[in-house]
Amino acid sequence: MQKTYYNYWGKADKEGNYHLLPYHCLDVAAVGEVYLYENHGVLGKFSNLLNLEQESFQKLMIFFLGLHDLGKFSDAFQGLICSKLPEIYAKLFPENKTCKPYSLRHDSIGYIYWYDELKSILKDKDFFNKSNLTDKEMKKFIYGNDSCFDILFRASNGHHGTPPNLERNSESKFYLKANMEAANNFTFDFYQLIFTDVQLKLPTDIKEFYLSLKSNSYWIAGLFTLCDWIGSNTRHFKYKNDDKFLSLKEYWEMIAIPSAKTAIKESGILPSKLSILKSYKDLFPFEIKEFTPIQKFVSEMEVHSGAGLYILEDVTGAGKTEASLILAKRLMDINHSEGVFIGLPTMATANAMYDRIKDAYRNFYTNSPIPSLVLAHGKRELSEKFKNTILDSNTIDQNYSKEDASASAICNSWIADNKKKTFLASFGVGTIDQALVSILYSKYQSLRLIGLFNKVIILDEIHAYDTYMNELISKLLEFHASIGGSVILLSATMPAILKKQFIESFQRGIKKESEDILIKANEYPLVTYVSVEELEEFPVNSRQEVIRTVSINFLHDIDQILSFIKDTIDSGKCICWIRNTVTDAIHACELIQARLSIEPILFHARFMIGDRIEIENKVLEQFGKKSKQEVRKGKILVATQVVEQSLDLDFDEMITDIAPIDLIIQRAGRLHRHVRNTLGNLKEEGSDERNLPTLHIHSPEFIANPEKDWFQSKFPNASFVYEDHSEVWLTMKSLIEKREFKMPDDARFLIESVYGENLEIPEALNQIRQKVKGKLKKAASLGELNTLDLYKGYDEANTKWRDEKYTPTRLGEDTVTLKLVTFKNGKIVPLYEADKNSLALSEISVRSFTFGEDESNDYSAEIMQALQDFKTNLPDNGKYSTIVCMEEQKENSFQGFTITEKKKKVELNYNKKTGLKKIKRKNI
């Protein structure tokens, strides 16, 4: 007699084709079988973390992967096809006249069936024959409430991005008796298929196993999601619904496993084989005649397997990036790691890092299989080697309901976004936000975690974040340490208190008591190593070329600045003025044009990605390392903080608005960065022929005992960026006392003179400082509140999960990504025109309160219809996009509208030279 579970559909398309549910469950389980068999690193690492034999871990994962869609056996789910494809429902359930309401997503419905029905059946039949456990242990940790198997089932049912809803409902609300019988029979038969001649062996310390499962369930959920998405690829797993039913064993051996092998091979997720190098200099496509001191040290220092935190502190230009890559390769070799994720503060720094490693990453591997590199932005040089083969955009299953999208539809939307696809590549480069989402209550955070699971994480410019983000970074360090991961932190200006915070967070992850931290805190440059066994600090020398003295000169009014700019330009030199806000940068450009009749290059964050890349490339061409006299001469750049980190720029002269000391040091690193002659051309050797570098700082007059508006009255916009005005005052005080600083000798002194403890601060500014400290304390608390609890496991507080669009990686005003488009020749097209990735290159991230976050309806009927048609062709159907249609007012100047949360209309102007500006706001 034919098993009734063959009467259930699992996936369907709009044309009336469908795939049987038992077959789909086997497809996904087969992907897990093949992936774990092919990826020895992931299998071995999970087995070690859980203290479980590899075969037992693999079988457990396969079994629970096969149960991931048990909720689809419910009448509530099966009835979804009745309204869309009634002939299929009539064929499968000829006796059914009505269907139970689909009021809960199928993953949560599956958990109800598991909790109320299936778990007790497994217990009664003693499926897993755990003779090595006592009855008490069995009852509590295997079949009790919140047991080991509960954890695994919840993880398997988290394949829609969040844990299943744990609110209690009766199974009778969703299931008919026949549904549960079919689900039971499938489970029994599938168990026999997977565990034939195999006895599951659980650790004797079952309580420790339970706790390990709990904390590792985040990554296990990510593994299950990845397998479900690959197993939903209809190009590899063809729909099968004919009357020639195959037994589970026949389908498994003849179709599921062979299809899974092909799908896994073509998905691009298997690790590439690591290369064997004669010298670590061979990592880089450019010739390295001699390592810098920090590069030499990390290439020779003793490295250990297992969890390790490495902190590299050295001045700008010392070669920390290459040092981190050398260290990452060594860690990959010893830990059998798959790849690297590099996180940076901004898009501009991520773009610069991408350019630095795009020709080097291949040297980490052999060509089997070809490794992949993905930048988390729509950059035109995006590697095409990592194709969208996990799922094809033309093979999307039909969504189950408005709230319940199919796996293929979700996956297609997800991997279309390079910010997310980054984590599935061998090498990923992006802003640090993309990694921080993995430890927030964000949909599909588990997929990001599994992407980082067997990788080395490098976080550059680690000093560049606020208190809230530092709390999130701390949690990321704790999570990665707990799975034996390695992290490399890079900084030129890290305060001791921040370094201590990161070390303690990593030590929490490896369950090590904090002790003897920062024994050599005053040494600089310094390499710090933290592991389960030890904490060591190694002073290193600095590269001779970056040892220098920078003079300080303060400029207090605009006339002084304009006069200095004119003299610099007239003498044939190039100059940069770094301003603290976009508004101030735009104003400075307008002032220079009006008063000096000179048109500067303007560079800030409020440009479309495509325009930002063009400007960035222009900036690098004119002021980069290889720039020559003819392109540098008499040029001026006005920029915001986008130029102070990671960009390899070199200016003859520099003006900077006053800022906290770490930023001043960073900005000074772009002044006389490379050795040049008097004309500004690069020299291969010798000393710099330009005058000694002087950093000109635009600031208020220094007052020993200032009023509270001392900084705000001079810089009203920047006063909201750098809220603790005492840090600005302390910076000025230290620099005035020294009148120059020598790097690296003065680095520690300068940083601690502003960020150290027990500092003397004027009363008015101290009042501001205390208010800011209160805000920072709240920010730290909010950061802790927003992050996952490692030890509570994946299902913890599942009502907190938020959509990715609203994920708070940065504190303050919420940001929104606007996609700028225009109406042209009767259709909507991206505002930035390119051969590919046009829409991604037309994005711009802004503060939602200021610039709006919702789409306006203030367009003609023709444009509204075109917008609707445009959104239906997006991977997410426009659900997670804010589309802004811009109308051209004059050449390269466009106008559009958004709506704020409070239903106020915002008029926007976009200009390719100045970026995005808000024109006005009015009620609607």
Side-chain angles (χ1 to χ4, degrees):
M1 182 177 177
Q2 188 64 53
K3 295 293 180 71
T4 59
Y5 52 69
Y6 289 106
N7 293 341
Y8 291 78
W9 68 276
K11 307 182 79 61
D13 63 22
K14 296 178 181 179
E15 282 69 46
N17 303 304
Y18 65 97
H19 192 42
L20 290 179
L21 177 55
Y23 293 159
H24 170 64
C25 290
L26 264 62
D27 293 340
V28 174
V31 170
E33 165 95 352
V34 173
Y35 178 67
L36 290 173
Y37 178 81
E38 295 286 350
N39 195 329
H40 304 294
V42 167
L43 175 60
K45 191 164 186 174
F46 267 123
S47 300
N48 290 335
L49 288 169
L50 299 173
N51 192 26
L52 195 62
E53 291 184 0
Q54 289 190 11
E55 184 181 45
S56 290
F57 172 77
Q58 189 172 14
K59 294 300 182 183
L60 262 182
M61 295 303 104
I62 296 167
F63 180 67
F64 280 95
L65 273 169
L67 306 187
H68 80 285
D69 264 352
L70 286 186
K72 290 183 178 180
F73 278 105
S74 66
D75 184 63
F77 179 85
Q78 290 295 309
L80 290 175
I81 209 168
C82 186
S83 59
K84 299 177 181 179
L85 302 168
E87 66 280 4
I88 295 178
Y89 187 77
K91 175 184 176 182
L92 297 175
F93 305 100
E95 297 180 0
N96 287 15
K97 304 301 180 185
T98 60
C99 310
K100 293 181 179 292
Y102 190 65
S103 57
L104 193 64
R105 205 170 59 189
H106 69 270
D107 53 338
S108 297
I109 294 175
Y111 188 72
I112 294 169
Y113 160 71
W114 161 265
Y115 195 87
D116 291 347
E117 176 79 7
L118 185 57
K119 188 167 70 167
S120 61
I121 294 175
L122 295 178
K123 177 183 178 183
D124 292 342
K125 291 183 176 292
D126 193 18
F127 258 42
F128 297 104
N129 187 25
K130 296 164 204 63
S131 56
N132 62 319
L133 303 179
T134 66
D135 289 342
K136 183 177 181 181
E137 288 173 330
M138 288 273 290
K139 183 177 180 181
K140 181 176 181 181
F141 293 108
I142 303 302
Y143 298 117
N145 294 332
D146 190 30
S147 66
C148 293
F149 286 177
D150 285 331
I151 295 170
L152 289 172
F153 193 86
R154 288 194 293 260
S156 75
N157 276 242
H159 56 279
H160 280 264
T162 65
N165 191 319
L166 303 186
E167 293 181 10
R168 300 308 307 135
N169 279 280
S170 170
E171 73 272 18
S172 62
K173 185 176 179 180
F174 305 101
Y175 291 87
L176 299 172
K177 184 178 180 180
N179 303 150
M180 290 189 286
E181 289 178 355
N184 290 345
N185 289 332
F186 170 76
T187 302
F188 303 157
D189 290 352
F190 182 61
Y191 170 82
Q192 293 298 330
L193 173 66
I194 299 303
F195 284 98
T196 301
D197 301 325
V198 175
Q199 182 181 2
L200 181 64
K201 297 178 182 178
L202 295 179
T204 53
D205 190 343
I206 197 66
K207 181 177 180 180
E208 184 63 30
F209 176 62
Y210 164 82
L211 294 174
S212 295
L213 265 182
K214 196 85 166 171
S215 60
N216 286 286
S217 59
Y218 294 105
W219 291 272
I220 293 173
L223 175 63
F224 286 156
T225 301
L226 184 60
C227 292
D228 178 47
W229 284 7
I230 296 175
S232 298
N233 186 333
T234 54
R235 185 161 67 90
H236 297 299
F237 299 93
K238 308 293 186 184
Y239 282 3
K240 183 167 178 56
N241 55 28
D242 54 41
D243 294 331
K244 297 178 182 179
F245 297 111
L246 299 175
S247 69
L248 297 189
K249 186 175 188 297
E250 290 171 331
Y251 184 85
W252 179 261
E253 294 176 350
M254 296 167 56
I255 297 179
I257 291 295
S259 299
K261 288 180 179 179
T262 303
I264 287 290
K265 183 179 180 180
E266 294 187 8
S267 68
I269 64 169
L270 286 178
S272 298
K273 185 178 179 181
L274 297 176
S275 62
I276 299 175
L277 302 175
K278 293 181 180 179
S279 167
Y280 290 113
K281 292 179 181 177
D282 296 338
L283 275 178
F284 308 102
F286 45 85
E287 182 183 2
I288 294 181
K289 294 180 180 179
E290 185 178 351
F291 278 146
T292 68
I294 197 165
Q295 292 167 0
K296 185 174 188 297
F297 180 83
V298 299
S299 68
E300 297 174 351
M301 71 179 292
E302 185 177 1
V303 295
H304 306 275
S305 60
L309 174 66
Y310 299 81
I311 304 175
L312 311 186
E313 298 174 89
D314 204 345
V315 297
T316 299
K320 294 189 296 296
T321 297
E322 289 74 19
S324 70
L325 293 174
I326 293 168
L327 184 54
K329 179 64 168 80
R330 298 190 66 198
L331 293 170
M332 289 168 68
D333 289 339
I334 198 170
N335 288 313
H336 308 290
S337 302
E338 296 178 17
V340 175
F341 174 78
I342 306 177
L344 298 111
T346 65
M347 184 194 308
T349 55
N351 287 342
M353 180 63 74
Y354 178 92
D355 286 332
R356 294 177 73 175
I357 71 168
K358 67 181 180 182
D359 296 322
Y361 83 100
R362 289 288 296 274
N363 296 328
F364 281 67
Y365 304 95
T366 65
N367 288 329
S368 179
I370 295 175
S372 50
L373 169 67
V374 172
L375 175 71
H377 308 291
K379 189 164 183 176
R380 286 167 295 185
E381 292 88 357
L382 181 68
S383 171
E384 293 298 317
K385 299 211 175 345
F386 190 64
K387 301 174 183 177
N388 291 347
T389 51
I390 294 178
L391 280 178
D392 304 306
S393 58
N394 60 345
T395 57
I396 299 178
D397 304 308
Q398 183 168 311
N399 288 336
Y400 309 129
S401 71
K402 186 177 180 180
E403 292 77 23
D404 190 4
S406 67
S408 59
I410 297 169
C411 177
N412 192 62
S413 169
W414 212 84
I415 66 173
D417 186 340
N418 291 323
K419 296 188 292 293
K420 302 160 186 176
K421 189 170 59 179
T422 302
F423 295 93
L424 303 181
S426 304
F427 257 67
V429 182
T431 62
I432 194 172
D433 306 69
Q434 303 308 319
L436 296 182
V437 174
S438 68
I439 47 84
L440 297 175
Y441 293 94
S442 173
K443 289 187 72 173
Y444 297 106
Q445 55 75 221
S446 63
L447 196 60
R448 295 172 187 261
L449 275 183
I450 196 63
L452 294 172
F453 181 70
N454 203 23
K455 289 188 172 73
V456 177
I457 297 176
I458 300 175
L459 302 180
D460 199 3
E461 312 286 3
I462 196 64
H463 57 273
Y465 307 103
D466 60 21
T467 300
Y468 174 79
M469 290 191 72
N470 288 336
E471 193 68 33
L472 271 54
I473 294 168
S474 296
K475 185 57 67 80
L476 178 64
L477 296 179
E478 180 185 357
F479 265 60
H480 205 58
S482 75
I483 57 168
S486 296
V487 181
I488 303 171
L489 306 181
L490 309 181
S491 178
T493 55
M494 183 188 295
I497 191 170
L498 180 60
K499 183 176 177 181
K500 183 173 185 291
Q501 176 183 337
F502 290 155
I503 289 175
E504 290 176 342
S505 299
F506 194 84
Q507 289 178 324
R508 278 198 302 274
I510 56 179
K511 299 180 180 178
K512 176 180 172 62
E513 293 292 329
S514 298
E515 57 185 18
D516 299 331
I517 291 180
L518 306 179
I519 299 171
K520 301 175 182 177
N522 292 323
E523 299 282 355
Y524 186 91
L526 190 68
V527 173
T528 305
Y529 167 61
V530 183
S531 69
V532 176
E533 293 82 16
E534 55 199 341
L535 187 157
E536 293 186 280
E537 296 162 292
F538 305 96
V540 295
N541 294 322
S542 226
R543 180 183 171 203
Q544 190 63 39
E545 290 83 351
V546 297
I547 298 175
R548 62 180 186 151
T549 299
V550 177
S551 297
I552 301 297
N553 178 49
F554 290 96
L555 302 173
H556 302 303
D557 64 65
I558 294 297
D559 288 338
Q560 286 180 299
I561 292 173
L562 293 175
S563 176
F564 178 68
I565 290 174
K566 186 176 187 308
D567 291 343
T568 300
I569 298 300
D570 290 345
S571 65
K573 297 178 182 178
C574 64
I575 184 171
C576 177
W577 184 2
I578 302 180
R579 308 233 58 188
N580 289 330
T581 71
V582 174
T583 301
D584 290 340
I586 293 173
H587 176 68
C589 274
E590 293 170 345
L591 198 62
I592 292 169
Q593 287 176 304
R595 300 269 293 272
L596 303 181
S597 299
I598 299 172
E599 185 174 355
I601 301 172
L602 177 63
F603 188 25
H604 57 69
R606 216 185 292 157
F607 286 97
M608 290 188 300
I609 291 177
D611 287 336
R612 277 190 64 170
I613 292 169
E614 287 188 12
I615 296 170
E616 184 180 315
N617 289 339
K618 184 177 181 180
V619 168
L620 287 167
E621 178 187 352
Q622 295 197 350
F623 308 108
K625 179 178 180 178
K626 297 180 180 180
S627 60
K628 297 181 179 180
Q629 178 196 14
E630 54 264 29
V631 297
R632 296 168 58 87
K633 182 179 179 181
K635 296 295 192 305
I636 176 170
L637 173 70
V638 177
T640 58
Q641 295 89 335
V642 294
V643 300
E644 73 188 18
Q645 296 161 337
S646 295
L647 292 179
D648 192 3
L649 304 176
D650 181 2
F651 298 96
D652 300 324
E653 300 288 354
M654 177 176 286
I655 305 166
T656 173
D657 289 356
I658 186 66
I661 188 64
D662 52 327
L663 305 182
I664 294 294
I665 294 173
Q666 286 290 130
R667 295 171 187 184
R670 275 69 197 162
L671 178 63
H672 292 204
R673 184 180 178 91
H674 300 292
V675 178
R676 298 182 183 275
N677 61 24
T678 54
L679 298 176
N681 291 318
L682 195 67
K683 293 178 61 178
E684 292 295 330
E685 56 186 24
S687 58
D688 201 301
E689 296 177 12
R690 294 173 289 186
N691 294 332
L692 291 176
T694 298
L695 182 66
H696 302 271
I697 301 178
H698 177 209
S699 69
E701 295 278 358
F702 182 78
I703 301 174
N705 192 23
E707 299 294 328
K708 65 179 182 179
D709 66 346
W710 168 77
F711 181 57
Q712 185 177 18
S713 61
K714 181 74 173 180
F715 297 99
N717 297 316
S719 68
F720 293 101
V721 177
Y722 307 119
E723 293 183 285
D724 187 349
H725 303 168
S726 69
E727 293 177 354
V728 178
W729 184 86
L730 288 167
T731 296
M732 278 199 73
K733 180 174 182 291
S734 297
L735 293 176
I736 286 173
E737 289 175 356
K738 296 188 73 65
R739 280 294 173 183
E740 65 180 23
F741 60 81
K742 184 176 182 179
M743 298 299 284
D745 295 6
D746 294 332
R748 288 283 190 227
F749 166 78
L750 290 172
I751 294 298
E752 297 308 317
S753 68
V754 175
Y755 295 110
E757 299 179 309
N758 303 317
L759 301 173
E760 293 185 8
I761 301 169
E763 179 59 30
L765 298 186
N766 191 49
Q767 291 178 14
I768 296 175
R769 187 183 186 91
Q770 296 311 311
K771 287 182 180 179
V772 172
K773 275 190 172 182
K775 289 180 65 175
L776 295 180
K777 189 174 181 180
K778 289 181 180 178
S781 299
L782 186 59
E784 186 175 357
L785 182 67
N786 284 343
T787 53
L788 300 165
D789 189 316
L790 176 62
Y791 301 105
K792 288 185 178 180
Y794 180 63
D795 61 292
E796 175 248 341
N798 64 350
T799 56
K800 289 185 179 181
W801 251 260
R802 305 176 73 190
D803 196 282
E804 288 180 296
K805 185 177 180 180
Y806 305 104
T807 300
T809 57
R810 304 201 182 213
L811 199 58
E813 288 187 31
D814 289 339
T815 59
V816 62
T817 298
L818 306 179
K819 296 179 186 292
L820 305 188
V821 299
T822 190
F823 186 64
K824 192 174 183 180
N825 298 326
K827 63 180 182 178
I828 297 295
V829 295
L831 189 58
Y832 188 88
E833 298 180 8
D835 294 337
K836 54 188 176 181
N837 300 325
S838 293
L839 188 58
L841 292 166
S842 300
E843 291 181 357
I844 180 169
S845 182
V846 293
R847 293 182 175 182
S848 57
F849 177 81
T850 305
F851 290 91
E853 60 184 339
D854 293 323
E855 296 170 3
S856 171
N857 295 325
D858 195 12
Y859 302 108
S860 68
E862 184 182 17
I863 292 179
M864 289 301 297
Q865 182 59 54
L867 280 168
Q868 186 59 41
D869 294 340
F870 179 77
K871 288 194 286 186
T872 58
N873 291 319
L874 296 178
D876 61 359
N877 296 130
K879 183 178 179 182
Y880 305 121
S881 304
T882 301
I883 308 293
V884 184
C885 189
M886 309 291 287
E887 181 182 356
E888 189 166 14
Q889 302 295 298
K890 54 184 179 180
E891 186 178 4
N892 291 326
S893 183
F894 299 82
Q895 180 190 51
F897 306 95
T898 55
I899 305 297
T900 68
E901 184 182 9
K902 294 183 178 180
K903 304 302 178 186
K904 290 186 176 181
K905 182 177 177 179
V906 181
E907 184 178 343
L908 303 177
N909 175 265
Y910 186 81
N911 186 290
K912 290 182 73 69
K913 289 186 177 181
T914 58
L916 189 72
K917 292 192 292 186
K918 183 189 72 171
I919 303 302
K920 59 184 177 180
R921 179 182 292 172
K922 57 185 178 181
N923 292 327
I924 60 170

